[in-house]
Amino acid sequence: MTATAPTTSPLAGGPVSTALVRAVAEDPAASRTLAVTGPAGSGKSVVLRELARVWSAAGAQVDRIPGTDPGRVVLVDDAHELTDDVLDELRAFAADPAARLVVAFRPWPRGRALARLGAALAASAPPLVLGALDAAGVLARAVRITGSRPSDETVRVVLERTAGSPLLVDRLLAASGGASGVPPELAEQLGYAIDAEDRRVVDLVTATALGAPQDSEVLVPLLGLADAAGSGIDELDELVQRAVAAGLCTPDGRVVPLVGDAVRGRVPPARRTELRRSLAEIELDRGGSVLAVARTLRGSGATGDRAAAVFRAAAAEAARSEHPDAVRFYAEAVAAGTAPLVVAARRAEAHLVAGDLDGALGHADAVLSATDAVEPEDAVRAGSVAAAVLARRGLLIRSAELYRWTAAVAGERLPAAAVPVLIGTGAWAEAREIGGAGALVPGRAPTLVDGADDLTARGILDSVQGSPTAALSGLARAAGLLEGAHGAALLPDTPAALAALVAVHTGEFDVASSVLDRALRTGLGGAPARPRHRLLLGWIALLRGATGPAAERLDAVDADAAGRPLEPRDEFLAAALQVAIARRNSDLGALMRAWTRARQAIVRHPVDLFVLQPLGELVTAATRLREESWVRPHLDEAEALLDRLGRPALWAAPLHWAQLQAAILVDDADAAREQTAALERAACGSRFAQAMAAAAPHWVGVIEGRVDPEAVEAAARGLHAVGLSFDGGRLAGQAALRTDDRRAVSALLACARALQVAGAEARTASVQAGGADAAGRSGARGPAGTGPGGPAAGGPGSGGGTGPQTRVPGGTAAGRPAHDGATPAGPAPGGVPGGTGRDGAGPGGGRSAGTASGAARPAGSSWDGAGSGAPAAPDRAAAGPGAGSDRTGSGAHDQGRAATAAGAARVEPPPSLLSDRELEVAELVVQGRTHKEIGEALFISAKTVEHHVARIRQRLGVGGRSELLDELRRILDERG
């Protein structure tokens, strides 16, 4: 508050009253007859006191009744309480041309005598009508009472609670300064005023304060009113007018909030419950909304058939709008005496809409366990709820069985909503039969949900044997239909999620992101669908090479779960995403930790069509960790599923691509050729599949030491064109290791770096776009430092494992040495062999010793991670995060540090005892990588790495490994 000189006038905030008093003060002898009217508390008495003060100061005699002396001033308050004789006498006095008479009264009651007096007074001057203060008036009175200027919020609260009544404003400010709640002394004052009114007025105010609507159909029976006509409406109108005149209600009949608070605090609990019960029963009998009154009854302990009926009606009303209160109302109905089985089916549906899948399944199972004791309609409803829950948990086979059972009970064909479940389990013929019949049921009006079901069914069928474009279009339109409809929570999956999956499998990442962002903004599918939509956005970021945003999405979902396990379907995707991030970041420790989570997800989730891509990532990671036995049963089941569906190219291609990557990890050329052939057969499925089919033979060539540089570059760019920048950069980078042609090495490395930059741009766009579920949460990071600024936030280099990207003298990229590291890094005579251009290579062909084409890799080395990525951008600050390039995201060092913004001024690190190359080696040593892994990351031999480590020990004067690691961490920390 701001200290302000107080306004001393008791009329502060009333400009009309102030003007009247000022006019009298300027000419006190002038005749004046005036009526002052307003409800109780509006300031009538204050005006009369100020007039008495002014006239008395001018020497006039002030009386309350007219006398024989015509020079007297007569001021009369509360004239509505006077007898007709006195009112007639005042009217006669007002007829005197020299009279000075001011009469104040309430607007109700108004008898004939008072009306005649008012007319006589109004003949000489219009009445002064007092009413509610505005914000400026409240401010003026607050300054007068408190001596300081209150905040705008305080003024707003006081005005809202008092409805602008000057008396209530003054009392609230004096008692609490406008704070919330009703001070005890003020509650007592209000109690006196309320009790002074007619009992019927008090009953009206009490009923309205406890939630009764301003509706004669409710208030007349509730208050037991009746008039001459028998309707009670006239009596109700009179009571409302009297309540307004008493200052207890606003002119529109609403109880003044401060008065309502005081009334509710004074009503005994038993009477409060009984009044609310009566109100609810009246609403129930007339078929009106019972939600508001049922909310006031909740927790009151009301029981009996009528109370139970009220709660059931409120639950049904809330369920129609998918409001979560339906869950509590059904629980209250059971507590009030409703048989649990009677409402179990609808209760299950309410729990599903609210996102409580456990509760939904529990109530549905109660119905399914007692089908003989429930109506067929309830059995069908419970079966549909259970089918949707099981589908959301990944148990599609059991879900399909329930859909078949509900159709048999209802005597109808399977619903269109079952098509994604049937296709997901390989029941192609059965799903096609449903899709051909359409979603509309004869004799029933088509709804938005029916239309969405039909589009979804046709879209999923098209994804298996049809046009991918048609599939994506149908699913996207289905998602749009459901944005303004209720019922999406009962579907086994949202059309938005299915549309995103189809879009991802066709390389349409922008379309997938757009559909998911819109679904999150509109709340499509309710709370249960939100984690799935967010995880799919993370998966899209991953495929684009943006592991930083992908990790942020994953972290956000895990954080929102607050320790509760995700549903098996969501957990399977989350585990695969965590594994994929760690693998791309070349962080073996994080990968092993993520694999622990993945193993649990694998055993909880069976295979279906919609998890084949995450399954492929787990297959690749399992091969990397020599844990193939964990995924082999799932992989076999996936192959059988694809066979049952006729090997749909759209869904099969990504799984074959993943198996190709697994074959590359173990140098299994035969398996790689087998998957290449499968990809070529699936190439017709989409341009996504075509790009993978075009690149696959070149991976076989890389394994066998056969590299066609121009064809490899074209294939890598083809992968980038469909969004797979990481895979394209990885192919180009590995091909560069397997060729002896220096120009080819330079060209392939330049291609890999270009794809890395493209991936970095994708990362930036992903973070800037934000959308309904922006992943830019501060401090979010994934396993092993995959947070903001993490290595892979952009493209093929992310997790591709190239070395740290410090610039060495002469413009060479330190991550790509001019030779095998035997001599200190220096300017490259023939250009920048580290992939900074195509114009040549330094000594040694721009590659390290031991990486000649066709040379056997050391046992245990890996094609993914450290040795598979694209070359790093030459300047960290300018190029942004690159693969394995920045300790802020590489996994072991300074994991949460924010990435340096593109184009930001570079801060030079302090001088170091170690060379740039040794610092690169040091970073990877601290991360716990082996000499072989470091060699692959920096494109040098393991022997050269060993020499670097020996020199580092010598320069630092350290002996044991623990001492070395401590010293290296200190140096790296100092350099930021």
Side-chain angles (χ1 to χ4, degrees), residues 303-364:
T303 59
D305 292 343
R306 296 292 287 172
V310 167
F311 286 126
R312 289 198 302 272
E317 187 177 344
R320 283 193 292 273
S321 60
E322 296 191 343
H323 196 285
D325 271 357
V327 172
R328 295 188 60 183
F329 283 134
Y330 278 124
E332 291 282 358
V334 171
T338 300
L341 201 57
V342 171
V343 294
R346 293 187 178 276
R347 200 172 179 185
E349 187 174 330
H351 277 272
L352 176 57
V353 170
D356 178 12
L357 301 193
D358 288 333
L361 196 57
H363 292 300

Side-chain angles (χ1 to χ4, degrees), residues 681-891:
R681 289 192 296 271
C684 61
S686 66
R687 66 189 188 97
F688 193 62
Q690 290 171 0
M692 290 187 287
H698 298 293
W699 270 119
V700 176
V702 168
I703 293 175
E704 296 177 342
R706 297 179 290 100
V707 175
D708 181 343
E710 292 184 0
V712 167
E713 182 171 348
R717 294 189 181 279
L719 290 171
H720 162 69
V722 295
L724 299 178
S725 299
F726 172 82
D727 295 83
R730 182 164 165 255
L731 173 60
Q734 286 298 325
L737 284 175
R738 291 303 182 100
T739 179
D740 291 324
D741 187 331
R742 295 183 180 180
R743 288 189 177 275
V745 170
S746 180
L748 289 171
L749 293 178
C751 170
R753 188 173 68 246
L755 298 187
Q756 172 198 2
V757 172
E761 291 171 352
R763 173 195 188 279
T764 302
S766 173
V767 172
Q768 291 176 346
D773 183 46
R777 180 175 301 196
S778 176
R781 58 177 175 80
T786 55
S798 50
T802 60
Q805 302 149 1
T806 24
R807 185 179 290 283
V808 297
T812 58
R816 289 296 168 273
H819 41 75
D820 66 3
T823 60
V832 186
T836 57
R838 297 189 179 200
D839 54 349
R847 296 164 63 235
S848 305
T851 57
S853 175
R857 286 182 295 132
S861 61
S862 170
W863 280 104
D864 73 335
S868 61
D875 191 315
R876 261 183 251 206
S885 65
D886 194 335
R887 290 192 303 272
T888 60
S890 62

